[in-house]
Amino acid sequence: MERCRRGLVLLPALMCWLFSAQVSAQGFGFQDVIDKAREKAGESYQAPTPVPQFLQELSQEQYQGIRFKSENSLWRESGSHFQVSLMSPGLYFKHAVKLNVVDAQGVHDLPYDKNNFTYTSEELARRVPADLGYGGFRLTYPDADAENGRRAFMVFAGASYFRAIGKNNHFGLSARGIAVNTGLPSGEQFPSFTEFWLIRPNAKADTLTLYALLDGRSLTGAYQFDIRLGDAAVMDVKSRLFIRNDIEKLGVAPLTSMFFYGGNTARPVGEWRPRVHDSDGLLMHDGGSGEWLWRPLLNPKNLKIDYFSAAQVQGFGLMQRQTRFDDFQDFGAHYHERPSAWVQPKGEWGKGRVSLVQLPSNNEVNNNIVAFWTPDEPVRQGQTLAYDYQLKVGAPTVSGSDRASAVKTFVGDGNRAGGGNVEGAYRIVVDFAGGPLKDVPGNAPVTSDVIAEGDGEVIEHFVEFLAPVNRWRVSILARPAADQPLSLRAFLKKGEDTVSETWSYEIPVNNDILGGDSR
């Protein structure tokens, strides 16, 4: 480093550091981060120091105008497949994080240099402190069609949030390190990743490893991410949690998304687009029963929390099954290219349930959907918990399901022409496609199994084959009990074999969200 400082004095501090870095990691590992998290859990919680108020009050346009100079990307000089672009704090990213790089020489603190950025105005550049620190980082990979020949495929920034995309995706839903008390009256806590260690990869490595330290009022955590990229972004995640205080609801491997409206909801006044959402449903696989369960999302009038018990959860995720431009008609937002995300636990997580939290939202800016796994056992002060899992982000096929999927849901009045003649009833139509039904002839013995939960009543249901689109349609006429929601479950069988996932749906009391279709 001394030779670097003398011989390359004209280069920015970050570039100077790059020339001294090596390509293999030694002397530092996940256990070091675990030890640090354990030690921190025994200390009083100190919230991260916020950045200056003027940075927090930047507009979206002003913040996006603070651009990292791509020529200063980490590992650019080695020609690495993986490179790192740094981010400024500000707007949503209200505190800086500490960044370290690990190489053959050890652990290096990554120095902050405001000259690594361009700014929208000289006045803003003058006001940015020289010791501000970085707000997060983006991981990039080669892409001939992208600006500067590289495309960001993963972002770590803001609390414990991180986002990823697969091939041909645009950024949409987010993942988080952990969720604490989401949806509870006591208020949600948002622990933050406060420090990262980036392990310098070999130039042609296809996997990047990084560690993260999480800190929050009720827990600390150590995380290891082994990241690789193909058609999907794949992350093998290890987490070790140290509980500071009792936690009423712990959310493991949380996913956060947005559902404003879809085909099964009324279109807001003035909206011309058919649908607006980053995800359209929750998919869950119960290893105990073998069931694949699909729950279409809603934008409820009031906070709505659903729990889906699983004897042995094999996976869950928020999916975006609409992948055609015609589904959204929004060329600017690219909702048809938003990714799906699938969490697959490793090892035994114990007894628990998948939680789906849906909050009301009057616009598409708010992330109003959260899904996570919650242990049945209480989470108590002094506990150490370990959760390992794989997270895949990409096309809807990331779940690996072998069942026919519920690709359309129609909800209508059961007391009008085309729906039926039963007052107070609903006509619900669900289309299934793919999986074992892909090449089944239209005269095959495919039947439906439909259950109304609670006091609801299924009046009729039948199956028909839609030859033009190669789908199997279940038509249901059902009526809720007075002042009760209508909760239904339906799946298809071919002979005695279950061939589809289980469609699970709930129509709220005094429903006014009748609309067209929702995948």
Side-chain angles (χ1 to χ4, degrees):
M1 286 294 289
E2 183 63 30
R3 180 169 59 88
C4 178
R5 285 195 293 269
R6 288 199 304 264
L8 298 171
V9 292
L10 296 180
L11 289 177
L14 176 59
M15 288 299 292
C16 181
W17 184 91
L18 287 174
F19 277 85
S20 68
Q22 301 299 314
V23 296
S24 60
Q26 296 180 5
F28 187 89
F30 187 39
Q31 187 60 49
D32 296 282
V33 186
I34 293 173
D35 293 342
K36 192 164 187 173
R38 181 186 292 110
E39 179 181 358
K40 203 167 190 64
E43 303 170 355
S44 298
Y45 172 63
Q46 298 292 326
T49 302
V51 298
Q53 192 66 29
F54 79 89
L55 287 170
Q56 298 182 45
E57 294 174 352
L58 293 175
S59 68
Q60 182 79 21
E61 183 179 6
Q62 288 172 323
Y63 178 75
Q64 290 180 343
I66 304 175
R67 294 181 174 270
F68 181 72
K69 298 175 182 177
S70 60
E71 62 268 24
N72 292 344
S73 294
L74 197 61
W75 306 322
R76 183 172 184 267
E77 89 296 346
S78 70
S80 172
H81 288 314
F82 296 102
Q83 294 180 24
V84 183
S85 294
L86 304 174
M87 298 172 61
S88 173
L91 191 57
Y92 309 120
F93 314 125
K94 299 185 183 301
H95 64 83
V97 296
K98 184 178 181 181
L99 299 180
N100 306 280
V101 177
V102 183
D103 62 25
Q105 296 178 342
V107 180
H108 308 271
D109 177 18
L110 192 62
Y112 173 73
D113 187 347
K114 63 185 290 183
N115 294 314
N116 287 320
F117 299 91
T118 59
Y119 300 88
T120 51
S121 69
E122 292 184 4
E123 179 184 359
L124 177 59
R126 284 196 302 269
R127 297 180 69 187
V128 172
D131 60 351
L132 177 63
Y134 296 111
F137 57 91
R138 298 181 177 92
L139 302 179
T140 69
Y141 70 99
D143 185 343
D145 296 328
E147 184 180 358
N148 301 317
R150 300 190 66 84
R151 186 183 184 195
F153 74 94
M154 195 166 182
V155 179
F156 284 85
S160 68
Y161 286 91
F162 56 99
R163 297 193 295 164
I165 55 173
K167 187 177 181 181
N168 300 322
N169 287 144
H170 276 69
F171 282 106
L173 83 174
S174 301
R176 279 193 268 170
I178 204 71
V180 178
N181 296 341
T182 304
L184 296 184
S186 58
E188 183 171 5
Q189 299 176 25
F190 290 91
S192 295
F193 287 137
T194 58
E195 188 169 4
F196 293 90
W197 292 262
L198 305 169
I199 312 303
R200 180 171 179 135
N202 293 318
K204 303 305 178 184
D206 58 6
T207 300
L208 173 68
T209 296
L210 64 88
Y211 307 125
L213 177 68
L214 180 135
D215 194 17
R217 192 192 323 161
S218 296
L219 82 172
T220 65
Y223 287 74
Q224 176 175 324
F225 297 87
D226 295 313
I227 302 163
R228 57 189 184 276
L229 184 63
D231 288 340
V234 181
M235 290 145 274
D236 291 309
V237 183
K238 295 179 180 179
S239 66
R240 302 293 181 266
L241 304 175
F242 302 92
I243 309 304
R244 272 194 174 117
N245 303 302
D246 293 353
I247 295 175
E248 186 174 352
K249 182 192 291 185
L250 183 70
V252 178
L255 302 171
T256 300
S257 193
M258 179 275 293
F259 183 90
F260 184 26
Y261 64 93
N264 63 326
T265 66
R267 186 183 300 180
V269 175
E271 279 288 353
W272 58 270
R273 297 166 294 180
R275 304 168 184 81
V276 174
H277 51 73
D278 286 339
S279 304
D280 58 348
L282 169 73
L283 182 65
M284 184 188 79
H285 184 203
D286 183 351
S289 66
E291 181 181 59
W292 290 81
L293 183 141
W294 172 253
R295 168 59 70 94
L297 299 178
L298 295 171
N299 182 357
K301 283 187 173 182
N302 302 295
L303 170 68
K304 179 174 172 54
I305 303 178
D306 294 298
Y307 301 100
F308 304 94
S309 296
Q312 185 180 4
V313 64
Q314 292 295 299
F316 67 91
L318 291 175
M319 319 302 287
Q320 180 78 318
R321 284 184 169 172
Q322 285 106 322
T323 56
R324 301 181 305 130
F325 172 74
D326 285 350
D327 293 326
F328 300 95
Q329 294 289 338
D330 191 331
F331 191 66
H334 292 272
Y335 286 119
H336 61 292
E337 295 179 338
R338 301 297 171 103
S340 298
W342 184 250
V343 174
Q344 183 172 336
K346 294 184 178 182
E348 179 56 57
W349 280 13
K351 294 183 179 180
R353 58 201 184 277
V354 174
S355 300
L356 175 63
V357 179
Q358 301 179 96
L359 297 96
S361 178
N362 60 5
N363 59 56
E364 61 197 276
V365 176
N366 300 319
N367 283 331
N368 62 325
I369 305 295
V370 190
F372 49 82
W373 184 84
T374 301
D376 285 345
E377 292 295 321
V379 177
R380 301 301 188 199
Q381 180 182 17
Q383 280 185 300
T384 299
L385 304 174
Y387 297 105
D388 296 345
Y389 57 95
Q390 185 176 86
L391 174 61
K392 291 183 178 180
V393 181
T397 54
V398 291
S399 69
S401 172
D402 60 353
R403 302 290 177 90
S405 299
V407 296
K408 290 280 187 180
T409 297
F410 301 85
V411 181
D413 194 336
N415 188 28
R416 66 170 59 197
N421 58 0
V422 180
E423 186 175 353
Y426 292 93
R427 174 64 65 180
I428 304 104
V429 176
V430 187
D431 289 354
F432 292 87
L437 294 177
K438 182 178 180 182
D439 299 314
V440 171
N443 60 355
V446 176
T447 59
S448 56
D449 196 326
V450 180
I451 301 169
E453 300 176 330
D455 295 327
E457 175 188 8
V458 176
I459 299 168
E460 69 172 16
H461 63 93
F462 58 88
V463 177
E464 57 185 335
F465 179 62
L466 307 181
V469 288
N470 195 25
R471 295 178 190 153
W472 292 83
R473 171 166 291 180
V474 182
S475 185
I476 306 165
L477 184 63
R479 180 170 49 196
D483 299 320
Q484 296 293 321
L486 177 62
S487 297
L488 298 170
R489 292 166 62 91
F491 58 90
L492 294 183
K493 299 176 69 174
K494 181 175 176 290
E496 296 300 316
D497 298 327
T498 299
V499 293
S500 77
E501 63 194 17
T502 299
W503 169 89
S504 170
Y505 200 74
E506 183 173 284
I507 299 176
V509 177
N510 300 322
N511 173 58
D512 63 354
I513 60 171
L514 296 182
D517 64 277
S518 175
R519 292 187 181 181

